[in-house]
Amino acid sequence: MIEITFLGSGGGRFITITQFRSTGGFFIRASRNMYVDPGPGALVRSWRYKLDPRKLDVMFISHRHVDHCSDAEIMIEAMTGGALKKRGILIASKSVVYGDDSYNPAVSKYHLDSLEEVHTPEPGNRLSLGDEELTITPSVHSDPSTIGFRMGTRFGDISYIPDTQYFDELIKWHEGSRVMIVAITRPRDMRIPYHLCTEDVVYMLRKMKQRPEVIVMNHIGMKMHFANPYKEARFIENITGVKTFVAKEGFKVMMNKKEITVKTLRPARFV
Ligand SMILES: [Zn+2]
């Protein structure tokens, strides 16, 4: 069984600064434990859902925007036992590790040195992580080094399409995945540059010969939040026939050979 737990589903500056929807990325438990896009709240919400960040093996960071990487260093401290032992793998965009014209690196040299491996792969590169294999996929986003992935598992593939505008190549990279986690920032007819809207996703799915079993809408922006993402999910589902869920804090997807099931976890009580 492979489990994906969302610590939040908000994305974009206005949802993030207001926390109208929780933010923080998601956690994949496969043969290795991988955290994806540790945005604001990643550390605190991991504990809230009893996901021990000290047990992480891998961290994947798609790009250097703060809603995806603000908690990167503290999560690396957890993964490396307080930065005291060399442990863990970071797979991230070049902007996260090296910075770019607008941004400093998101991870200090001190934290990079505590990791066992640091990778800044290109689309098409493959990395094996225990029983799984990660294929790096491209994005067209305002951070030009943004990367996504397709994770091959023994139960089928999981695709992560992070912030990107629509481009035809997405079909080739992600066609045939069983679960697609997609950053759908905007509702129908409210497209903005460098992000996907609901119609883009419908268009992409209709062009796929082999559609996914499940889409999880993630990175809900403010306009999407107020347009009602559940209505947008029904729109995708009605046209494409693909079961579409909206991620939220505590939302969990479980995949085995036979079926994909979901539930929403209750937060643990704090004392
Ligand atoms: Zn972004």
Side-chain angles (χ1 to χ4, degrees):
M1 166 106 75
I2 291 182
E3 300 173 343
I4 309 166
T5 307
F6 290 81
L7 288 313
S9 62
R13 68 192 69 193
F14 300 114
I15 283 284
T16 304
I17 59 182
T18 56
Q19 291 288 299
F20 282 2
R21 296 183 82 87
S22 303
T23 56
F26 55 97
F27 185 104
I28 302 181
R29 193 195 299 277
S31 70
R32 298 288 184 272
N33 293 325
M34 178 163 98
Y35 203 98
V36 180
D37 279 353
L43 178 73
V44 172
R45 291 195 180 101
S46 291
W47 285 110
R48 189 180 287 173
Y49 292 93
K50 296 185 178 156
L51 299 168
D52 187 341
R54 294 172 300 185
K55 295 187 177 147
L56 283 174
D57 303 298
V58 186
M59 188 168 315
F60 180 94
I61 309 180
S62 63
H63 66 295
R64 175 62 181 92
H65 289 159
V66 71
D67 47 343
H68 298 257
C69 69
S70 66
D71 278 15
E73 289 180 337
I74 197 65
M75 292 298 273
I76 289 171
E77 288 205 14
M79 181 160 71
T80 57
L84 295 175
K85 51 186 172 198
K86 241 179 157 38
R87 197 181 164 267
I89 300 172
L90 174 66
I91 303 166
S93 68
K94 290 188 172 53
S95 52
V96 164
V97 174
Y98 304 113
D100 61 19
D101 292 347
S102 312
Y103 288 93
N104 297 328
V107 181
S108 70
K109 184 173 180 307
Y110 170 80
H111 292 96
L112 290 174
D113 285 347
S114 69
L115 292 158
E116 218 170 357
E117 294 175 29
V118 177
H119 300 272
T120 55
E122 303 279 348
N125 288 169
R126 285 160 194 255
L127 296 114
S128 73
L129 303 170
D131 298 338
E132 289 77 46
E133 188 182 57
L134 216 60
T135 302
I136 303 304
T137 60
S139 266
V140 178
H141 190 45
S142 43
D143 175 343
S145 67
T146 303
I147 48 173
F149 64 76
R150 177 171 178 154
M151 178 189 265
T153 84
R154 63 201 178 100
F155 304 125
D157 291 3
I158 299 166
S159 272
Y160 176 42
I161 303 181
D163 295 10
T164 182
Q165 67 182 49
Y166 175 78
F167 60 112
D168 282 330
E169 262 192 68
L170 282 175
I171 294 165
K172 177 187 98 193
W173 288 97
H174 297 287
E175 178 155 31
S177 270
R178 265 185 101 185
V179 176
M180 281 185 202
I181 301 159
V182 190
I184 312 178
T185 310
R186 285 294 189 115
R188 272 167 272 189
D189 63 39
M190 296 188 91
R191 186 180 290 113
I192 44 167
Y194 297 121
H195 294 84
L196 291 170
C197 74
T198 322
E199 277 168 330
D200 295 327
V201 176
V202 166
Y203 182 82
M204 176 181 81
L205 292 172
R206 291 181 77 171
K207 288 197 128 191
M208 284 181 172
K209 285 185 209 88
Q210 199 189 343
R211 294 180 189 172
E213 278 173 59
V214 163
I215 289 269
V216 182
M217 291 170 60
N218 196 29
H219 202 275
I220 310 294
M222 194 65 107
K223 287 274 194 311
M224 175 67 99
H225 180 67
F226 283 111
N228 187 349
Y230 298 93
K231 207 173 79 192
E232 295 297 297
R234 279 198 300 279
F235 170 70
I236 296 175
E237 196 168 312
N238 287 341
I239 297 181
T240 65
V242 178
K243 187 86 197 140
T244 305
F245 296 101
V246 181
K248 63 188 278 197
E249 181 182 322
F251 183 72
K252 185 169 172 180
V253 179
M254 291 147 290
M255 175 167 88
N256 62 25
K257 207 174 180 120
K258 237 171 54 199
E259 56 181 4
I260 296 169
T261 52
V262 303
K263 66 175 170 186
T264 300
L265 306 173
R266 283 167 171 273
R269 285 212 194 149
F270 283 103
V271 282

